[in-house]
Amino acid sequence: MLTGNKVTLTPAEIKDKEAVYQWCFHSETTKYHSGPPSYPNAPIATEAEFFEDYQEYYFTGAQPQDGRGFLILHAGEPIGFISYSSFHLKDGIAELDIWLNREAHCGKGFGT
């Protein structure tokens, strides 16, 4: 667990997979990164597609060299998800993905 001024990051677990999928592809914030009209070339992923990309090790920590996911907590409540992946990049370089579960959490500095 890592605690900052506004949020705490806690390792995501298998039980969090469904919520994380819903936050990404079936929430108020989905329109900011997927699906028409703004992102016609980035369709809404099915659960199967999402879990193909976000394999179990993101939720178990079994392959930290490949990637890991964390819940973003504010005041003890989960408000989003952040993950890193590094298996497809150069050694020592990671890609970060982050999304929040509601528009009310956007613009408050929780992502930064």
Side-chain angles (χ1 to χ4, degrees):
M1 188 177 304
L2 176 65
T3 300
N5 292 332
K6 294 185 178 189
V7 299
T8 297
L9 300 182
T10 189
E13 299 176 359
I14 293 292
K15 67 180 178 64
D16 302 315
K17 285 176 71 170
E18 177 62 30
V20 168
Y21 169 73
Q22 293 297 322
W23 298 343
C24 188
F25 291 109
H26 296 287
S27 76
E28 298 171 337
T29 61
T30 300
K31 63 186 172 191
Y32 298 119
H33 58 81
S34 297
S38 298
Y39 297 95
N41 295 328
I44 304 296
T46 65
E47 279 189 9
E49 291 167 334
F50 179 77
F51 295 138
E52 185 175 320
D53 288 339
Y54 279 87
Q55 295 181 20
E56 286 202 356
Y57 61 81
Y58 282 95
F59 301 91
T60 65
Q63 294 175 233
Q65 72 281 6
D66 291 338
R68 185 67 168 106
F70 300 85
L71 295 183
I72 302 167
L73 306 176
H74 175 67
E77 295 297 318
I79 64 164
F81 183 76
I82 186 168
S83 65
Y84 71 86
S85 58
S86 56
F87 61 89
H88 60 288
L89 302 171
K90 293 181 179 180
D91 286 342
I93 295 176
E95 172 186 338
L96 297 176
D97 284 314
I98 183 172
W99 57 87
L100 299 175
N101 62 2
R102 293 192 344 213
E103 285 185 22
H105 298 131
C106 297
K108 300 196 189 272
F110 297 143
T112 57

